[in-house]
Amino acid sequence: MLSITQGQRLPIANITDANEFQIRFDIPSDLTIDFACFGLDSQDKLSDERYMVFFNQPKSPCGGIRLADSSTFSLILSELPASIDKLVFTVAIDGAGTMSQIRLSNFQIGDGGQAKATCAFSGSTFQMERAIMLVELYRKDGAWRLNSILQGFNEGLDALVRHFGGEVAEDASEPAPTPAPPAKVSLEKRVAAAAPQLVSLAKKAQISLEKAKVADIRCRIGLILDASGSMNGQYKHGRVQEVVNRLLPMAVQWDDDGALDCWAFGDYPQQLSTVTLQNFANFIDTDQGGWRNWELGSRINTEWRVIEKAIDYYQRSGDRTPVFILFISDGGIHDSSRITRLIRDAAKLPIFWQFIGIDGRNYGILEKLDDLTGRVVDNCNFFALDDLRQISEEELYDCMMEEFPGWLRDAKAKGIVA
């Protein structure tokens, strides 16, 4: 039987090729607990509440999700509509208690009455949490994959429903909700006042952030640029400056100072000036004497040094504000084991890493970090482009937001970010 560990991702096809299979949860305790499956859309929201399958609604409309008994779900993934991108299986305490009280537990995946894979966990993993997001199945590249989340959540089932965008009947005795704060001035207007040439990008960034439901968060943004010799063409032809231009509207939207932290690296890293609406134009050709004069040592790839530098920089702030780092590379990765160790250790920090490969082939460990095991949360994503011009701004923003909202949700549930 295949043994699954916390944070592990793998194709469902590696476990079972049956059309119908089951996920069974065995959680011994003296608590009263409820199991639920949330069918989520591409925005990680329960857009159709009929796809919350639990004791009071034991079957989805399509029949693809069914609560076979109190702790076993029967699944036929081919029956699910295209609008369902992810299934998240949860357990919540009904009444008093915390998840630290559960004894040695597991979930199993099997078909035809035979278990094919199992994942063990216990209350020692948790503290004051009253719910757990146990495991998720999600679509990627046309196939279904599994992620063993095992993420604690400090509230109960009602809070999970709200978290996924569902509605909960409120007690009439509860006070009225506090009015929402006034809306921020639109990104487009803020950009237009200082950098009208970026207005078109600002409009597209705003749309993408709103679709991902992260337009109103507070977040710092960092940009890390490969400046090795093989990247010279990207710098000469303005491709790297395009990256700066495209990312800056996101910084203006998320960061109180509207600033973009920036590093370049060869054998050694150099922290560049903070990019703002006032200095972004020709930044790559002018900052610190321009890209040809940056003090990076040999123009080779030593990624781990700049990753370490960025981690140290954000750790010094001492707060739990989320950080989104866009890391640009054309491949030729150096010291994969050290990069792996840094990213795994950084999973407990409020930093999400979005790696983008540009015009390269040998991306090595950067392509594999998304499936890295042994992390508290999945803290990174990767995609590659042969040429930055091959993708529209809208597509680029959407790709960058593919996994960040999910990380933000999980990191909040773990108390990693405020």
Side-chain angles (χ1 to χ4, degrees), residues 74-387:
S74 183
L75 304 173
I76 307 177
L77 299 181
S78 60
E79 296 294 322
L80 295 175
S83 59
I84 301 298
D85 266 21
K86 182 182 292 185
L87 303 179
V88 180
F89 297 86
T90 69
V91 58
I93 296 172
D94 182 8
T98 67
M99 287 298 174
S100 62
Q101 297 171 246
I102 66 175
R103 298 188 286 276
L104 183 62
S105 306
N106 68 79
F107 68 80
Q108 295 183 1
I109 300 175
D111 60 69
Q114 181 179 0
K116 299 292 186 68
T118 185
C119 178
F121 58 95
S122 71
S124 62
T125 307
F126 309 104
Q127 297 180 16
M128 299 306 293
E129 295 94 331
R130 289 176 43 77
I132 308 171
M133 292 182 280
L134 292 161
V135 59
E136 66 181 16
L137 309 183
Y138 63 99
R139 298 182 198 260
K140 187 168 185 179
D141 299 329
W144 284 92
R145 295 173 63 84
L146 176 144
N147 177 17
S148 173
I149 317 174
L150 295 177
Q151 296 288 315
F153 197 91
N154 286 342
E155 303 296 336
L157 183 60
D158 285 356
L160 283 171
V161 175
R162 293 189 185 95
H163 178 75
F164 291 125
E167 295 184 0
V168 177
E170 300 292 348
D171 189 324
S173 64
E174 292 184 0
T178 303
K184 294 194 294 184
V185 177
S186 75
L187 174 59
E188 179 183 344
K189 290 182 179 178
R190 280 178 285 154
V191 170
Q197 63 271 49
L198 295 184
V199 167
S200 175
L201 289 176
K203 289 179 180 179
K204 295 167 183 176
Q206 181 91 36
I207 291 170
S208 181
L209 297 180
E210 287 176 351
K211 283 198 304 184
K213 294 181 172 58
V214 292
D216 296 323
I217 67 170
R218 179 171 174 262
C219 180
R220 301 176 70 178
I221 298 191
L223 174 62
I224 295 178
L225 300 170
D226 181 349
S228 59
S230 58
M231 283 284 292
N232 284 355
Q234 302 289 338
Y235 281 86
K236 287 179 182 177
H237 296 113
R239 305 289 178 260
V240 179
Q241 180 65 47
E242 287 181 39
V243 173
V244 173
N245 295 354
R246 290 181 173 191
L247 197 57
L248 184 56
M250 290 175 58
V252 174
Q253 175 72 4
W254 279 347
D255 189 89
D256 289 344
D257 299 323
L260 175 62
D261 304 317
C262 193
W263 291 264
F265 72 94
D267 191 14
Y268 291 92
Q270 179 178 357
Q271 185 162 5
L272 306 175
S273 301
T274 300
V275 185
T276 67
L277 290 173
Q278 286 68 46
N279 71 348
F280 79 93
N282 299 317
F283 178 86
I284 295 301
D285 289 328
T286 59
D287 190 67
Q288 310 285 322
W291 64 273
R292 293 177 179 84
N293 298 309
W294 291 341
E295 297 178 1
L296 309 175
S298 300
R299 292 291 177 123
I300 60 175
N301 299 55
T302 308
E303 295 81 4
W304 69 265
R305 287 195 176 109
V306 72
I307 292 173
E308 195 172 61
K309 190 88 168 178
I311 290 172
D312 178 67
Y313 176 79
Y314 290 113
Q315 274 193 295
R316 278 188 272 124
S317 69
D319 63 21
R320 292 183 296 136
T321 301
V323 179
F324 179 95
I325 293 182
L326 187 67
F327 191 111
I328 303 296
S329 171
D330 72 342
I333 309 305
H334 176 70
D335 205 336
S336 296
S337 61
R338 193 171 298 198
I339 294 171
T340 299
R341 186 166 61 252
L342 284 167
I343 295 299
R344 181 181 282 123
D345 291 345
K348 63 181 180 292
L349 302 175
I351 304 174
F352 180 82
W353 305 81
Q354 176 61 69
F355 295 95
I356 300 183
I358 294 183
D359 195 31
R361 291 293 182 270
N362 180 24
Y363 298 120
I365 190 60
L366 300 187
E367 294 186 86
K368 302 174 184 177
L369 290 173
D370 190 29
D371 294 324
L372 185 63
T373 60
R375 292 174 293 167
V376 178
V377 292
D378 178 3
N379 59 338
C380 58
N381 189 33
F382 173 87
F383 62 90
L385 304 169
D386 288 336
D387 191 322

